[in-house]
Amino acid sequence: MINRLLTRKGWRVVAHSLLAAAGIGLLYLLSKMVIGDIQQGDTLSRCILGVGIAFSLWLVALGSMLAKAELTDWR
């Protein structure tokens, strides 16, 4: 398993998977921030929140598509 990760393709798959994980983490942090603001009675701007959620979902989609393309040898 380690020998597969030490190849160029293995590092690309890991990098694309980390990109998707970063998007999921960003979505998690945004949801925690929204929950905290609701509990305190503050509201976030819907535009800022929408842009953040769209960006995090785009990261997840991009990372997963790139990882799948790398694993299936798509060209």
Side-chain angles (χ1 to χ4, degrees):
M1 183 74 173
I2 297 295
N3 290 336
R4 288 185 182 176
L5 288 177
L6 294 178
T7 63
R8 180 178 284 175
K9 180 179 179 178
W11 282 113
R12 285 193 302 252
V13 169
V14 169
H16 299 322
S17 299
L18 285 175
L19 183 67
I24 292 171
L26 182 62
L27 190 60
Y28 174 76
L29 290 175
L30 283 172
S31 66
K32 292 296 264 185
M33 188 172 63
V34 167
I35 290 170
D37 284 345
I38 289 173
Q39 289 175 348
Q40 290 179 358
D42 299 333
T43 57
L44 287 174
S45 171
R46 290 185 184 190
C47 180
I48 293 172
L49 184 62
V51 168
I53 289 174
F55 181 68
S56 64
L57 291 176
W58 178 77
L59 281 177
V60 171
L62 179 67
S64 61
M65 284 189 301
L66 288 173
K68 182 180 178 184
E70 194 66 44
L71 288 172
T72 59
D73 290 330
W74 178 74
R75 295 205 182 240

